[in-house]
PDB file of all heavy atoms in Angstrom:
ATOM      1  N   ARG A   1      12.258   4.174   4.817  1.00  0.00           N
ATOM      2  CA  ARG A   1      11.845   2.933   4.132  1.00  0.00           C
ATOM      3  C   ARG A   1      12.286   1.692   4.927  1.00  0.00           C
ATOM      4  O   ARG A   1      11.542   0.725   5.033  1.00  0.00           O
ATOM      5  CB  ARG A   1      12.434   2.887   2.717  1.00  0.00           C
ATOM      6  CG  ARG A   1      11.771   3.854   1.753  1.00  0.00           C
ATOM      7  CD  ARG A   1      12.521   3.897   0.446  1.00  0.00           C
ATOM      8  NE  ARG A   1      11.623   3.781  -0.693  1.00  0.00           N
ATOM      9  CZ  ARG A   1      12.004   3.789  -1.952  1.00  0.00           C
ATOM     10  NH1 ARG A   1      13.286   3.877  -2.243  1.00  0.00           N
ATOM     11  NH2 ARG A   1      11.126   3.699  -2.944  1.00  0.00           N
ATOM     12  N   THR A   2      13.484   1.739   5.451  1.00  0.00           N
ATOM     13  CA  THR A   2      14.004   0.565   6.174  1.00  0.00           C
ATOM     14  C   THR A   2      13.337   0.384   7.535  1.00  0.00           C
ATOM     15  O   THR A   2      13.491  -0.654   8.176  1.00  0.00           O
ATOM     16  CB  THR A   2      15.525   0.655   6.356  1.00  0.00           C
ATOM     17  OG1 THR A   2      15.840   1.842   7.100  1.00  0.00           O
ATOM     18  CG2 THR A   2      16.223   0.685   5.012  1.00  0.00           C
ATOM     19  N   CYS A   3      12.587   1.399   7.989  1.00  0.00           N
ATOM     20  CA  CYS A   3      11.967   1.309   9.313  1.00  0.00           C
ATOM     21  C   CYS A   3      10.826   0.304   9.360  1.00  0.00           C
ATOM     22  O   CYS A   3      10.373  -0.065  10.456  1.00  0.00           O
ATOM     23  CB  CYS A   3      11.476   2.691   9.764  1.00  0.00           C
ATOM     24  SG  CYS A   3      10.146   3.377   8.745  1.00  0.00           S
ATOM     25  N   TYR A   4      10.367  -0.146   8.197  1.00  0.00           N
ATOM     26  CA  TYR A   4       9.270  -1.127   8.204  1.00  0.00           C
ATOM     27  C   TYR A   4       9.492  -2.195   7.158  1.00  0.00           C
ATOM     28  O   TYR A   4      10.057  -1.949   6.091  1.00  0.00           O
ATOM     29  CB  TYR A   4       7.922  -0.439   8.035  1.00  0.00           C
ATOM     30  CG  TYR A   4       7.583   0.130   6.678  1.00  0.00           C
ATOM     31  CD1 TYR A   4       6.631  -0.464   5.856  1.00  0.00           C
ATOM     32  CD2 TYR A   4       8.188   1.306   6.216  1.00  0.00           C
ATOM     33  CE1 TYR A   4       6.295   0.081   4.618  1.00  0.00           C
ATOM     34  CE2 TYR A   4       7.865   1.856   4.993  1.00  0.00           C
ATOM     35  CZ  TYR A   4       6.916   1.245   4.187  1.00  0.00           C
ATOM     36  OH  TYR A   4       6.589   1.778   2.955  1.00  0.00           O
ATOM     37  N   ASP A   5       9.053  -3.402   7.488  1.00  0.00           N
ATOM     38  CA  ASP A   5       9.113  -4.563   6.610  1.00  0.00           C
ATOM     39  C   ASP A   5       7.697  -4.883   6.170  1.00  0.00           C
ATOM     40  O   ASP A   5       6.828  -5.140   7.007  1.00  0.00           O
ATOM     41  CB  ASP A   5       9.744  -5.744   7.350  1.00  0.00           C
ATOM     42  CG  ASP A   5       9.690  -7.027   6.552  1.00  0.00           C
ATOM     43  OD1 ASP A   5       9.891  -6.969   5.321  1.00  0.00           O
ATOM     44  OD2 ASP A   5       9.440  -8.097   7.152  1.00  0.00           O
ATOM     45  N   ILE A   6       7.470  -4.863   4.856  1.00  0.00           N
ATOM     46  CA  ILE A   6       6.103  -5.068   4.377  1.00  0.00           C
ATOM     47  C   ILE A   6       5.748  -6.563   4.432  1.00  0.00           C
ATOM     48  O   ILE A   6       6.521  -7.417   3.997  1.00  0.00           O
ATOM     49  CB  ILE A   6       5.919  -4.489   2.955  1.00  0.00           C
ATOM     50  CG1 ILE A   6       4.453  -4.397   2.601  1.00  0.00           C
ATOM     51  CG2 ILE A   6       6.713  -5.254   1.918  1.00  0.00           C
ATOM     52  CD1 ILE A   6       3.699  -3.345   3.375  1.00  0.00           C
ATOM     53  N   ASN A   7       4.594  -6.874   5.027  1.00  0.00           N
ATOM     54  CA  ASN A   7       4.157  -8.261   5.207  1.00  0.00           C
ATOM     55  C   ASN A   7       3.037  -8.670   4.254  1.00  0.00           C
ATOM     56  O   ASN A   7       3.009  -9.806   3.795  1.00  0.00           O
ATOM     57  CB  ASN A   7       3.653  -8.488   6.640  1.00  0.00           C
ATOM     58  CG  ASN A   7       4.678  -8.109   7.693  1.00  0.00           C
ATOM     59  OD1 ASN A   7       4.341  -7.506   8.702  1.00  0.00           O
ATOM     60  ND2 ASN A   7       5.939  -8.463   7.481  1.00  0.00           N
ATOM     61  N   TYR A   8       2.117  -7.733   3.998  1.00  0.00           N
ATOM     62  CA  TYR A   8       0.908  -8.112   3.246  1.00  0.00           C
ATOM     63  C   TYR A   8       0.321  -6.887   2.584  1.00  0.00           C
ATOM     64  O   TYR A   8       0.320  -5.791   3.160  1.00  0.00           O
ATOM     65  CB  TYR A   8      -0.113  -8.723   4.217  1.00  0.00           C
ATOM     66  CG  TYR A   8      -1.447  -9.068   3.612  1.00  0.00           C
ATOM     67  CD1 TYR A   8      -1.637 -10.258   2.910  1.00  0.00           C
ATOM     68  CD2 TYR A   8      -2.534  -8.215   3.759  1.00  0.00           C
ATOM     69  CE1 TYR A   8      -2.881 -10.581   2.363  1.00  0.00           C
ATOM     70  CE2 TYR A   8      -3.777  -8.520   3.227  1.00  0.00           C
ATOM     71  CZ  TYR A   8      -3.939  -9.709   2.525  1.00  0.00           C
ATOM     72  OH  TYR A   8      -5.159 -10.007   1.990  1.00  0.00           O
ATOM     73  N   TYR A   9      -0.159  -7.084   1.355  1.00  0.00           N
ATOM     74  CA  TYR A   9      -0.952  -6.053   0.667  1.00  0.00           C
ATOM     75  C   TYR A   9      -2.318  -6.647   0.310  1.00  0.00           C
ATOM     76  O   TYR A   9      -2.420  -7.827  -0.030  1.00  0.00           O
ATOM     77  CB  TYR A   9      -0.317  -5.632  -0.663  1.00  0.00           C
ATOM     78  CG  TYR A   9       0.960  -4.838  -0.600  1.00  0.00           C
ATOM     79  CD1 TYR A   9       2.070  -5.238  -1.365  1.00  0.00           C
ATOM     80  CD2 TYR A   9       1.076  -3.667   0.154  1.00  0.00           C
ATOM     81  CE1 TYR A   9       3.251  -4.506  -1.369  1.00  0.00           C
ATOM     82  CE2 TYR A   9       2.237  -2.932   0.150  1.00  0.00           C
ATOM     83  CZ  TYR A   9       3.331  -3.355  -0.615  1.00  0.00           C
ATOM     84  OH  TYR A   9       4.493  -2.629  -0.623  1.00  0.00           O
ATOM     85  N   HIS A  10      -3.337  -5.807   0.341  1.00  0.00           N
ATOM     86  CA  HIS A  10      -4.573  -6.100  -0.369  1.00  0.00           C
ATOM     87  C   HIS A  10      -4.815  -4.939  -1.329  1.00  0.00           C
ATOM     88  O   HIS A  10      -5.258  -3.865  -0.919  1.00  0.00           O
ATOM     89  CB  HIS A  10      -5.768  -6.282   0.565  1.00  0.00           C
ATOM     90  CG  HIS A  10      -7.043  -6.536  -0.209  1.00  0.00           C
ATOM     91  ND1 HIS A  10      -8.285  -6.390   0.350  1.00  0.00           N
ATOM     92  CD2 HIS A  10      -7.274  -6.917  -1.526  1.00  0.00           C
ATOM     93  CE1 HIS A  10      -9.222  -6.654  -0.568  1.00  0.00           C
ATOM     94  NE2 HIS A  10      -8.616  -6.966  -1.697  1.00  0.00           N
ATOM     95  N   LEU A  11      -4.510  -5.186  -2.592  1.00  0.00           N
ATOM     96  CA  LEU A  11      -4.710  -4.202  -3.638  1.00  0.00           C
ATOM     97  C   LEU A  11      -6.097  -4.408  -4.248  1.00  0.00           C
ATOM     98  O   LEU A  11      -6.414  -5.513  -4.706  1.00  0.00           O
ATOM     99  CB  LEU A  11      -3.628  -4.345  -4.717  1.00  0.00           C
ATOM    100  CG  LEU A  11      -3.751  -3.456  -5.946  1.00  0.00           C
ATOM    101  CD1 LEU A  11      -3.645  -1.983  -5.571  1.00  0.00           C
ATOM    102  CD2 LEU A  11      -2.690  -3.825  -6.982  1.00  0.00           C
ATOM    103  N   ASP A  12      -6.916  -3.375  -4.216  1.00  0.00           N
ATOM    104  CA  ASP A  12      -8.299  -3.450  -4.696  1.00  0.00           C
ATOM    105  C   ASP A  12      -8.514  -2.298  -5.668  1.00  0.00           C
ATOM    106  O   ASP A  12      -8.622  -1.140  -5.247  1.00  0.00           O
ATOM    107  CB  ASP A  12      -9.248  -3.368  -3.496  1.00  0.00           C
ATOM    108  CG  ASP A  12     -10.708  -3.595  -3.869  1.00  0.00           C
ATOM    109  OD1 ASP A  12     -11.004  -3.764  -5.063  1.00  0.00           O
ATOM    110  OD2 ASP A  12     -11.548  -3.599  -2.949  1.00  0.00           O
ATOM    111  N   VAL A  13      -8.576  -2.607  -6.971  1.00  0.00           N
ATOM    112  CA  VAL A  13      -8.594  -1.554  -8.002  1.00  0.00           C
ATOM    113  C   VAL A  13      -9.689  -1.815  -9.031  1.00  0.00           C
ATOM    114  O   VAL A  13      -9.857  -2.954  -9.510  1.00  0.00           O
ATOM    115  CB  VAL A  13      -7.237  -1.467  -8.729  1.00  0.00           C
ATOM    116  CG1 VAL A  13      -7.233  -0.309  -9.718  1.00  0.00           C
ATOM    117  CG2 VAL A  13      -6.109  -1.292  -7.743  1.00  0.00           C
ATOM    118  N   LYS A  14     -10.380  -0.777  -9.392  1.00  0.00           N
ATOM    119  CA  LYS A  14     -11.385  -0.816 -10.459  1.00  0.00           C
ATOM    120  C   LYS A  14     -10.822  -0.120 -11.691  1.00  0.00           C
ATOM    121  O   LYS A  14     -10.307   0.998 -11.606  1.00  0.00           O
ATOM    122  CB  LYS A  14     -12.659  -0.116  -9.994  1.00  0.00           C
ATOM    123  CG  LYS A  14     -13.770  -0.041 -11.045  1.00  0.00           C
ATOM    124  CD  LYS A  14     -14.976   0.691 -10.472  1.00  0.00           C
ATOM    125  CE  LYS A  14     -16.088   0.829 -11.500  1.00  0.00           C
ATOM    126  NZ  LYS A  14     -17.262   1.545 -10.946  1.00  0.00           N
ATOM    127  N   PHE A  15     -10.960  -0.769 -12.854  1.00  0.00           N
ATOM    128  CA  PHE A  15     -10.480  -0.216 -14.121  1.00  0.00           C
ATOM    129  C   PHE A  15     -11.668   0.311 -14.933  1.00  0.00           C
ATOM    130  O   PHE A  15     -12.507  -0.468 -15.403  1.00  0.00           O
ATOM    131  CB  PHE A  15      -9.754  -1.275 -14.922  1.00  0.00           C
ATOM    132  CG  PHE A  15      -8.304  -1.478 -14.525  1.00  0.00           C
ATOM    133  CD1 PHE A  15      -7.984  -2.165 -13.372  1.00  0.00           C
ATOM    134  CD2 PHE A  15      -7.264  -0.972 -15.301  1.00  0.00           C
ATOM    135  CE1 PHE A  15      -6.664  -2.362 -12.994  1.00  0.00           C
ATOM    136  CE2 PHE A  15      -5.942  -1.152 -14.943  1.00  0.00           C
ATOM    137  CZ  PHE A  15      -5.644  -1.846 -13.779  1.00  0.00           C
ATOM    138  N   ASP A  16     -11.730   1.623 -15.082  1.00  0.00           N
ATOM    139  CA  ASP A  16     -12.675   2.273 -15.988  1.00  0.00           C
ATOM    140  C   ASP A  16     -11.947   2.400 -17.329  1.00  0.00           C
ATOM    141  O   ASP A  16     -11.231   3.377 -17.580  1.00  0.00           O
ATOM    142  CB  ASP A  16     -13.072   3.651 -15.432  1.00  0.00           C
ATOM    143  CG  ASP A  16     -14.007   4.417 -16.356  1.00  0.00           C
ATOM    144  OD1 ASP A  16     -14.254   3.974 -17.482  1.00  0.00           O
ATOM    145  OD2 ASP A  16     -14.481   5.496 -15.931  1.00  0.00           O
ATOM    146  N   ILE A  17     -12.113   1.393 -18.152  1.00  0.00           N
ATOM    147  CA  ILE A  17     -11.287   1.278 -19.359  1.00  0.00           C
ATOM    148  C   ILE A  17     -11.591   2.394 -20.348  1.00  0.00           C
ATOM    149  O   ILE A  17     -10.668   2.960 -20.964  1.00  0.00           O
ATOM    150  CB  ILE A  17     -11.505  -0.109 -19.997  1.00  0.00           C
ATOM    151  CG1 ILE A  17     -11.015  -1.204 -19.028  1.00  0.00           C
ATOM    152  CG2 ILE A  17     -10.759  -0.213 -21.333  1.00  0.00           C
ATOM    153  CD1 ILE A  17     -11.338  -2.610 -19.484  1.00  0.00           C
ATOM    154  N   ALA A  18     -12.845   2.754 -20.512  1.00  0.00           N
ATOM    155  CA  ALA A  18     -13.209   3.785 -21.485  1.00  0.00           C
ATOM    156  C   ALA A  18     -12.526   5.101 -21.201  1.00  0.00           C
ATOM    157  O   ALA A  18     -12.128   5.827 -22.120  1.00  0.00           O
ATOM    158  CB  ALA A  18     -14.731   3.960 -21.496  1.00  0.00           C
ATOM    159  N   ASN A  19     -12.350   5.406 -19.931  1.00  0.00           N
ATOM    160  CA  ASN A  19     -11.708   6.677 -19.537  1.00  0.00           C
ATOM    161  C   ASN A  19     -10.256   6.526 -19.111  1.00  0.00           C
ATOM    162  O   ASN A  19      -9.652   7.485 -18.641  1.00  0.00           O
ATOM    163  CB  ASN A  19     -12.518   7.322 -18.400  1.00  0.00           C
ATOM    164  CG  ASN A  19     -13.899   7.738 -18.841  1.00  0.00           C
ATOM    165  OD1 ASN A  19     -14.048   8.518 -19.779  1.00  0.00           O
ATOM    166  ND2 ASN A  19     -14.927   7.199 -18.187  1.00  0.00           N
ATOM    167  N   LYS A  20      -9.739   5.290 -19.248  1.00  0.00           N
ATOM    168  CA  LYS A  20      -8.364   5.002 -18.849  1.00  0.00           C
ATOM    169  C   LYS A  20      -8.097   5.487 -17.431  1.00  0.00           C
ATOM    170  O   LYS A  20      -7.056   6.081 -17.111  1.00  0.00           O
ATOM    171  CB  LYS A  20      -7.363   5.620 -19.837  1.00  0.00           C
ATOM    172  CG  LYS A  20      -7.518   5.077 -21.252  1.00  0.00           C
ATOM    173  CD  LYS A  20      -6.531   5.689 -22.232  1.00  0.00           C
ATOM    174  CE  LYS A  20      -6.752   5.107 -23.621  1.00  0.00           C
ATOM    175  NZ  LYS A  20      -5.840   5.711 -24.618  1.00  0.00           N
ATOM    176  N   PHE A  21      -9.063   5.186 -16.574  1.00  0.00           N
ATOM    177  CA  PHE A  21      -9.065   5.702 -15.206  1.00  0.00           C
ATOM    178  C   PHE A  21      -9.144   4.529 -14.241  1.00  0.00           C
ATOM    179  O   PHE A  21      -9.840   3.540 -14.482  1.00  0.00           O
ATOM    180  CB  PHE A  21     -10.307   6.598 -15.031  1.00  0.00           C
ATOM    181  CG  PHE A  21     -10.417   7.279 -13.676  1.00  0.00           C
ATOM    182  CD1 PHE A  21      -9.753   8.473 -13.423  1.00  0.00           C
ATOM    183  CD2 PHE A  21     -11.199   6.711 -12.670  1.00  0.00           C
ATOM    184  CE1 PHE A  21      -9.875   9.097 -12.182  1.00  0.00           C
ATOM    185  CE2 PHE A  21     -11.340   7.332 -11.431  1.00  0.00           C
ATOM    186  CZ  PHE A  21     -10.656   8.519 -11.197  1.00  0.00           C
ATOM    187  N   ILE A  22      -8.403   4.627 -13.143  1.00  0.00           N
ATOM    188  CA  ILE A  22      -8.469   3.589 -12.110  1.00  0.00           C
ATOM    189  C   ILE A  22      -8.778   4.227 -10.761  1.00  0.00           C
ATOM    190  O   ILE A  22      -8.473   5.405 -10.528  1.00  0.00           O
ATOM    191  CB  ILE A  22      -7.165   2.772 -12.016  1.00  0.00           C
ATOM    192  CG1 ILE A  22      -5.978   3.655 -11.617  1.00  0.00           C
ATOM    193  CG2 ILE A  22      -6.885   2.022 -13.322  1.00  0.00           C
ATOM    194  CD1 ILE A  22      -4.676   2.869 -11.380  1.00  0.00           C
ATOM    195  N   SER A  23      -9.395   3.465  -9.873  1.00  0.00           N
ATOM    196  CA  SER A  23      -9.665   3.942  -8.513  1.00  0.00           C
ATOM    197  C   SER A  23      -9.695   2.755  -7.580  1.00  0.00           C
ATOM    198  O   SER A  23     -10.073   1.636  -7.982  1.00  0.00           O
ATOM    199  CB  SER A  23     -10.994   4.687  -8.456  1.00  0.00           C
ATOM    200  OG  SER A  23     -12.064   3.846  -8.888  1.00  0.00           O
ATOM    201  N   GLY A  24      -9.241   2.977  -6.374  1.00  0.00           N
ATOM    202  CA  GLY A  24      -9.239   1.864  -5.425  1.00  0.00           C
ATOM    203  C   GLY A  24      -8.399   2.135  -4.213  1.00  0.00           C
ATOM    204  O   GLY A  24      -8.226   3.296  -3.791  1.00  0.00           O
ATOM    205  N   SER A  25      -7.857   1.075  -3.649  1.00  0.00           N
ATOM    206  CA  SER A  25      -7.116   1.195  -2.390  1.00  0.00           C
ATOM    207  C   SER A  25      -6.067   0.106  -2.290  1.00  0.00           C
ATOM    208  O   SER A  25      -6.116  -0.903  -3.003  1.00  0.00           O
ATOM    209  CB  SER A  25      -8.073   1.093  -1.198  1.00  0.00           C
ATOM    210  OG  SER A  25      -8.685  -0.195  -1.155  1.00  0.00           O
ATOM    211  N   ASN A  26      -5.119   0.308  -1.393  1.00  0.00           N
ATOM    212  CA  ASN A  26      -4.171  -0.745  -1.032  1.00  0.00           C
ATOM    213  C   ASN A  26      -3.943  -0.729   0.467  1.00  0.00           C
ATOM    214  O   ASN A  26      -3.633   0.306   1.053  1.00  0.00           O
ATOM    215  CB  ASN A  26      -2.827  -0.554  -1.752  1.00  0.00           C
ATOM    216  CG  ASN A  26      -1.930  -1.762  -1.599  1.00  0.00           C
ATOM    217  OD1 ASN A  26      -2.416  -2.882  -1.455  1.00  0.00           O
ATOM    218  ND2 ASN A  26      -0.631  -1.552  -1.602  1.00  0.00           N
ATOM    219  N   LEU A  27      -4.160  -1.876   1.076  1.00  0.00           N
ATOM    220  CA  LEU A  27      -3.908  -2.083   2.494  1.00  0.00           C
ATOM    221  C   LEU A  27      -2.443  -2.498   2.692  1.00  0.00           C
ATOM    222  O   LEU A  27      -1.981  -3.446   2.051  1.00  0.00           O
ATOM    223  CB  LEU A  27      -4.830  -3.165   3.043  1.00  0.00           C
ATOM    224  CG  LEU A  27      -4.509  -3.737   4.431  1.00  0.00           C
ATOM    225  CD1 LEU A  27      -4.705  -2.666   5.511  1.00  0.00           C
ATOM    226  CD2 LEU A  27      -5.380  -4.959   4.709  1.00  0.00           C
ATOM    227  N   PHE A  28      -1.731  -1.776   3.537  1.00  0.00           N
ATOM    228  CA  PHE A  28      -0.360  -2.108   3.901  1.00  0.00           C
ATOM    229  C   PHE A  28      -0.365  -2.740   5.292  1.00  0.00           C
ATOM    230  O   PHE A  28      -0.803  -2.107   6.261  1.00  0.00           O
ATOM    231  CB  PHE A  28       0.518  -0.848   4.005  1.00  0.00           C
ATOM    232  CG  PHE A  28       0.815  -0.128   2.727  1.00  0.00           C
ATOM    233  CD1 PHE A  28      -0.191   0.443   1.940  1.00  0.00           C
ATOM    234  CD2 PHE A  28       2.131   0.032   2.304  1.00  0.00           C
ATOM    235  CE1 PHE A  28       0.106   1.151   0.801  1.00  0.00           C
ATOM    236  CE2 PHE A  28       2.450   0.736   1.155  1.00  0.00           C
ATOM    237  CZ  PHE A  28       1.434   1.290   0.390  1.00  0.00           C
ATOM    238  N   LYS A  29       0.147  -3.970   5.427  1.00  0.00           N
ATOM    239  CA  LYS A  29       0.398  -4.553   6.739  1.00  0.00           C
ATOM    240  C   LYS A  29       1.910  -4.719   6.874  1.00  0.00           C
ATOM    241  O   LYS A  29       2.552  -5.235   5.961  1.00  0.00           O
ATOM    242  CB  LYS A  29      -0.301  -5.902   6.898  1.00  0.00           C
ATOM    243  CG  LYS A  29      -1.815  -5.792   6.987  1.00  0.00           C
ATOM    244  CD  LYS A  29      -2.454  -7.142   7.354  1.00  0.00           C
ATOM    245  CE  LYS A  29      -3.944  -7.012   7.555  1.00  0.00           C
ATOM    246  NZ  LYS A  29      -4.577  -8.281   7.986  1.00  0.00           N
ATOM    247  N   PHE A  30       2.453  -4.282   8.004  1.00  0.00           N
ATOM    248  CA  PHE A  30       3.910  -4.234   8.131  1.00  0.00           C
ATOM    249  C   PHE A  30       4.357  -4.565   9.548  1.00  0.00           C
ATOM    250  O   PHE A  30       3.570  -4.555  10.488  1.00  0.00           O
ATOM    251  CB  PHE A  30       4.440  -2.858   7.726  1.00  0.00           C
ATOM    252  CG  PHE A  30       3.972  -1.721   8.612  1.00  0.00           C
ATOM    253  CD1 PHE A  30       4.700  -1.364   9.764  1.00  0.00           C
ATOM    254  CD2 PHE A  30       2.814  -1.002   8.329  1.00  0.00           C
ATOM    255  CE1 PHE A  30       4.275  -0.337  10.587  1.00  0.00           C
ATOM    256  CE2 PHE A  30       2.387   0.037   9.149  1.00  0.00           C
ATOM    257  CZ  PHE A  30       3.127   0.361  10.274  1.00  0.00           C
ATOM    258  N   THR A  31       5.665  -4.847   9.660  1.00  0.00           N
ATOM    259  CA  THR A  31       6.327  -5.021  10.946  1.00  0.00           C
ATOM    260  C   THR A  31       7.371  -3.929  11.094  1.00  0.00           C
ATOM    261  O   THR A  31       8.177  -3.713  10.161  1.00  0.00           O
ATOM    262  CB  THR A  31       6.998  -6.410  11.062  1.00  0.00           C
ATOM    263  OG1 THR A  31       6.014  -7.406  10.894  1.00  0.00           O
ATOM    264  CG2 THR A  31       7.673  -6.572  12.419  1.00  0.00           C
ATOM    265  N   ALA A  32       7.396  -3.240  12.206  1.00  0.00           N
ATOM    266  CA  ALA A  32       8.381  -2.183  12.450  1.00  0.00           C
ATOM    267  C   ALA A  32       9.754  -2.807  12.717  1.00  0.00           C
ATOM    268  O   ALA A  32       9.874  -3.697  13.573  1.00  0.00           O
ATOM    269  CB  ALA A  32       7.950  -1.317  13.617  1.00  0.00           C
ATOM    270  N   THR A  33      10.760  -2.356  12.024  1.00  0.00           N
ATOM    271  CA  THR A  33      12.129  -2.850  12.257  1.00  0.00           C
ATOM    272  C   THR A  33      12.879  -1.969  13.236  1.00  0.00           C
ATOM    273  O   THR A  33      13.993  -2.301  13.653  1.00  0.00           O
ATOM    274  CB  THR A  33      12.895  -2.916  10.932  1.00  0.00           C
ATOM    275  OG1 THR A  33      12.962  -1.600  10.370  1.00  0.00           O
ATOM    276  CG2 THR A  33      12.215  -3.851   9.945  1.00  0.00           C
ATOM    277  N   GLN A  34      12.287  -0.838  13.584  1.00  0.00           N
ATOM    278  CA  GLN A  34      12.859   0.091  14.578  1.00  0.00           C
ATOM    279  C   GLN A  34      11.728   0.980  15.073  1.00  0.00           C
ATOM    280  O   GLN A  34      10.631   0.987  14.497  1.00  0.00           O
ATOM    281  CB  GLN A  34      13.978   0.933  13.948  1.00  0.00           C
ATOM    282  CG  GLN A  34      13.462   1.839  12.837  1.00  0.00           C
ATOM    283  CD  GLN A  34      14.594   2.537  12.080  1.00  0.00           C
ATOM    284  OE1 GLN A  34      15.422   1.887  11.467  1.00  0.00           O
ATOM    285  NE2 GLN A  34      14.612   3.858  12.151  1.00  0.00           N
ATOM    286  N   ASP A  35      11.939   1.717  16.118  1.00  0.00           N
ATOM    287  CA  ASP A  35      10.955   2.707  16.562  1.00  0.00           C
ATOM    288  C   ASP A  35      10.878   3.829  15.515  1.00  0.00           C
ATOM    289  O   ASP A  35      11.917   4.326  15.059  1.00  0.00           O
ATOM    290  CB  ASP A  35      11.350   3.318  17.899  1.00  0.00           C
ATOM    291  CG  ASP A  35      11.257   2.332  19.047  1.00  0.00           C
ATOM    292  OD1 ASP A  35      10.719   1.220  18.837  1.00  0.00           O
ATOM    293  OD2 ASP A  35      11.744   2.662  20.143  1.00  0.00           O
ATOM    294  N   PHE A  36       9.662   4.242  15.134  1.00  0.00           N
ATOM    295  CA  PHE A  36       9.551   5.343  14.172  1.00  0.00           C
ATOM    296  C   PHE A  36       8.161   5.961  14.250  1.00  0.00           C
ATOM    297  O   PHE A  36       7.205   5.347  14.753  1.00  0.00           O
ATOM    298  CB  PHE A  36       9.846   4.875  12.743  1.00  0.00           C
ATOM    299  CG  PHE A  36       8.760   4.013  12.130  1.00  0.00           C
ATOM    300  CD1 PHE A  36       7.732   4.580  11.392  1.00  0.00           C
ATOM    301  CD2 PHE A  36       8.779   2.626  12.284  1.00  0.00           C
ATOM    302  CE1 PHE A  36       6.736   3.790  10.845  1.00  0.00           C
ATOM    303  CE2 PHE A  36       7.794   1.829  11.725  1.00  0.00           C
ATOM    304  CZ  PHE A  36       6.763   2.420  11.011  1.00  0.00           C
ATOM    305  N   LYS A  37       8.039   7.167  13.719  1.00  0.00           N
ATOM    306  CA  LYS A  37       6.738   7.832  13.586  1.00  0.00           C
ATOM    307  C   LYS A  37       6.390   8.151  12.133  1.00  0.00           C
ATOM    308  O   LYS A  37       5.231   8.378  11.808  1.00  0.00           O
ATOM    309  CB  LYS A  37       6.710   9.131  14.408  1.00  0.00           C
ATOM    310  CG  LYS A  37       6.663   8.922  15.914  1.00  0.00           C
ATOM    311  CD  LYS A  37       6.359  10.229  16.642  1.00  0.00           C
ATOM    312  CE  LYS A  37       4.940  10.698  16.423  1.00  0.00           C
ATOM    313  NZ  LYS A  37       4.595  11.892  17.237  1.00  0.00           N
ATOM    314  N   LYS A  38       7.407   8.185  11.270  1.00  0.00           N
ATOM    315  CA  LYS A  38       7.198   8.616   9.890  1.00  0.00           C
ATOM    316  C   LYS A  38       7.765   7.560   8.944  1.00  0.00           C
ATOM    317  O   LYS A  38       8.818   6.968   9.194  1.00  0.00           O
ATOM    318  CB  LYS A  38       7.901   9.963   9.664  1.00  0.00           C
ATOM    319  CG  LYS A  38       7.690  10.589   8.287  1.00  0.00           C
ATOM    320  CD  LYS A  38       8.379  11.951   8.234  1.00  0.00           C
ATOM    321  CE  LYS A  38       8.161  12.630   6.880  1.00  0.00           C
ATOM    322  NZ  LYS A  38       8.842  13.951   6.809  1.00  0.00           N
ATOM    323  N   LEU A  39       7.044   7.322   7.817  1.00  0.00           N
ATOM    324  CA  LEU A  39       7.554   6.399   6.810  1.00  0.00           C
ATOM    325  C   LEU A  39       7.259   6.933   5.403  1.00  0.00           C
ATOM    326  O   LEU A  39       6.492   7.877   5.218  1.00  0.00           O
ATOM    327  CB  LEU A  39       6.969   4.993   6.996  1.00  0.00           C
ATOM    328  CG  LEU A  39       5.466   4.736   6.865  1.00  0.00           C
ATOM    329  CD1 LEU A  39       4.941   4.808   5.428  1.00  0.00           C
ATOM    330  CD2 LEU A  39       5.134   3.369   7.437  1.00  0.00           C
TER     331      LEU A  39
END
């Protein structure tokens, strides 16, 4: 978790209220605080 600093999100979600269902995406933009391959 500490290997990256989160800079920006774009959360894009659709609410299907009748079915209490959601679907969508989230864009993560980040800066690496150290060398890493896994987060």
Side-chain angles (χ1 to χ4, degrees):
R1 288 173 132 180
T2 59
C3 65
Y4 71 109
D5 173 39
I6 194 70
N7 304 138
Y8 175 82
Y9 290 130
H10 178 198
L11 175 63
D12 186 357
V13 184
K14 178 180 178 180
F15 278 76
D16 178 352
I17 296 172
N19 294 303
K20 299 180 180 178
F21 183 85
I22 63 175
S23 58
S25 63
N26 190 29
L27 167 66
F28 291 62
K29 290 188 175 183
F30 64 89
T31 302
T33 61
Q34 63 188 62
D35 291 351
F36 72 91
K37 288 191 70 174
K38 184 177 181 181
L39 63 72

